[in-house]
Amino acid sequence: MKVRPFPLVLAATLVFLFQLTLVPKRAMALSEPMLLPNHQIQLPQTARFFPKDASLTMHWMLDPKKIPEYLGNTARSKKKEEIRKDSKKLIEGFFALTGLNFDSELAEWIGPRISFALFESDQLDKSFGWLMALSNQDENSEKRFLQSFWEKQSLKGIELKINNYRGVDIISGNVITSNNNSNILSTALVNNEILLIASDKSVLQNSLNVSQLSKSNQSGNQELRESIQGLDDGIALLTVSPKSLHSIFSLPLRISQREDLNGFVGSIQSNGRNIALDGVFDFQSTAIEPEKYEEEFPSINVLIIV
């Protein structure tokens, strides 16, 4: 199993959205607008494990298993199967970047909502860490996955370490070579309900820490909740920290370094044949809506994924 570095994971997170719309367009076989259903944007239960100052978070409201069928239904009959296969490959490729096989390891048991986060790592050899939170469809499925997954890794020669932290067992896999000892992945099962998968053990420890501190996690962030209330329905909730607005999206420093800027909060929406990002720059005193971006900040364009 190979876990890809941060740049590839970030690229998959963002480019995946573009690809969802490009698949039908490449096929040139749309018989009607996309049928990706928008949902009410709200913080999921897993948000309590996500630091409120995470560089980037994405909470999916759409079951990934159903995306190929949704997209296939928009195509003419001759292209339906081709588009289903293409979109399925995109989903499998996204999870593969974290070292997981969606079709054989996840598809049968994961729930409809998936959360993902990127944030700065406290390790000198890593710029960013990542965290994924999955829910289950039955209480024993995650246990079976963990047992099967780590048994396979052990057979490959991966050294397994189990540490109990805040009453939760964290399982980590380490590759030991003559040059270094690197962590490939870490997992934690919380209350037999939520499976946390992360780039390393320290990421999970921090996640479990913030889950106990409402002022430190997204779920307890009242300002974030108020910003979300103004968003239209969509297929995912996206948040970006001020620092990452510059480093990832090239927002000018004169904006991203403002002391009153909390970050960006947006709803990713299915809109006909396009996927759009509707959101606000969240300031401590007020929120700037997309329609006012150019009025307030002439150098900033509305973020639209088409």
Side-chain angles (χ1 to χ4, degrees):
M1 182 193 71
K2 294 183 179 180
V3 179
R4 307 310 197 268
F6 161 75
L8 289 180
V9 177
L10 173 60
T13 305
L14 302 177
V15 174
F16 180 70
L17 297 171
F18 290 89
Q19 292 173 319
L20 281 180
T21 52
L22 289 177
V23 168
K25 287 182 177 180
R26 284 199 308 268
M28 296 296 291
L30 282 176
S31 59
E32 57 183 292
M34 285 189 300
L35 300 177
L36 295 175
N38 290 316
H39 299 270
Q40 180 182 1
I41 296 298
Q42 56 187 348
L43 287 170
Q45 180 183 6
T46 53
R48 75 179 193 270
F49 297 100
F50 288 68
K52 69 176 185 180
D53 58 353
S55 297
L56 181 148
T57 68
M58 187 176 293
H59 300 286
W60 280 94
M61 310 292 166
L62 182 64
D63 189 340
K65 298 188 294 294
K66 296 181 179 180
I67 291 177
E69 190 65 27
Y70 284 134
L71 295 182
N73 287 339
T74 69
R76 296 168 185 166
S77 57
K78 293 182 179 180
K79 292 289 185 178
K80 285 183 182 294
E81 189 60 30
E82 179 182 344
I83 291 177
R84 288 193 185 103
K85 289 181 179 179
D86 284 347
S87 56
K88 185 176 180 180
K89 288 179 181 178
L90 294 175
I91 295 170
E92 291 174 347
F94 172 78
F95 285 93
L97 291 171
T98 64
L100 298 171
N101 187 305
F102 178 78
D103 190 49
S104 64
E105 297 177 324
L106 303 175
E108 289 186 0
W109 62 268
I110 64 170
R113 297 195 173 188
I114 297 171
S115 297
F116 183 77
L118 298 167
F119 42 88
E120 292 189 25
S121 174
D122 57 3
Q123 298 185 28
L124 296 177
D125 60 339
K126 293 183 179 180
S127 299
F128 286 83
W130 58 266
L131 172 70
M132 184 181 292
L134 307 174
S135 59
N136 59 20
Q137 292 181 324
D138 69 80
E139 61 182 17
N140 294 317
S141 57
E142 289 167 320
K143 289 183 178 181
R144 292 194 296 268
F145 162 74
L146 287 176
Q147 181 178 356
S148 173
F149 176 81
W150 287 118
E151 282 181 354
K152 292 177 182 177
Q153 302 312 310
S154 181
L155 292 174
K156 295 177 182 178
I158 304 297
E159 181 186 38
L160 305 185
K161 291 185 178 181
I162 301 177
N163 302 95
N164 188 277
Y165 190 79
R166 289 188 174 272
V168 177
D169 285 339
I170 295 178
I171 307 176
S172 302
N174 293 276
V175 179
I176 301 177
T177 66
S178 58
N179 297 324
N180 60 12
N181 182 353
S182 59
N183 181 216
I184 61 165
L185 202 69
S186 293
T187 63
L189 180 59
V190 182
N191 297 330
N192 292 329
E193 295 177 345
I194 297 174
L195 177 62
L196 303 176
I197 305 174
S199 52
D200 56 67
K201 182 177 68 175
S202 65
V203 169
L204 285 185
Q205 290 176 333
N206 183 57
S207 176
L208 293 173
N209 285 338
V210 300
S211 71
Q212 303 299 314
L213 304 170
S214 60
K215 293 183 178 180
S216 299
N217 63 52
Q218 286 191 335
S219 183
N221 187 341
Q222 187 59 34
E223 292 179 341
L224 175 59
R225 287 186 174 276
E226 291 176 356
S227 296
I228 291 172
Q229 290 179 358
L231 298 177
D232 293 333
D233 293 351
I235 60 176
L237 167 65
L238 176 72
T239 72
V240 188
S241 70
K243 184 176 181 180
S244 295
L245 282 170
H246 173 71
S247 61
I248 298 175
F249 296 101
S250 300
L251 191 73
L253 287 173
R254 66 184 178 85
I255 305 300
S256 64
Q257 291 184 345
R258 282 182 51 159
E259 293 183 357
D260 60 343
L261 178 62
N262 294 323
F264 178 86
V265 183
S267 166
I268 300 171
Q269 304 168 350
S270 173
N271 181 15
R273 290 180 173 85
N274 299 316
I275 289 182
L277 179 57
D278 166 46
V280 295
F281 282 137
D282 187 13
F283 289 87
Q284 294 177 13
S285 57
T286 185
I288 307 297
E289 297 180 355
E291 292 79 3
K292 298 181 180 180
Y293 288 169
E294 293 186 3
E295 176 183 343
E296 297 289 337
F297 312 116
S299 63
I300 300 173
N301 295 321
V302 180
L303 298 173
I304 297 291
I305 299 175
V306 292

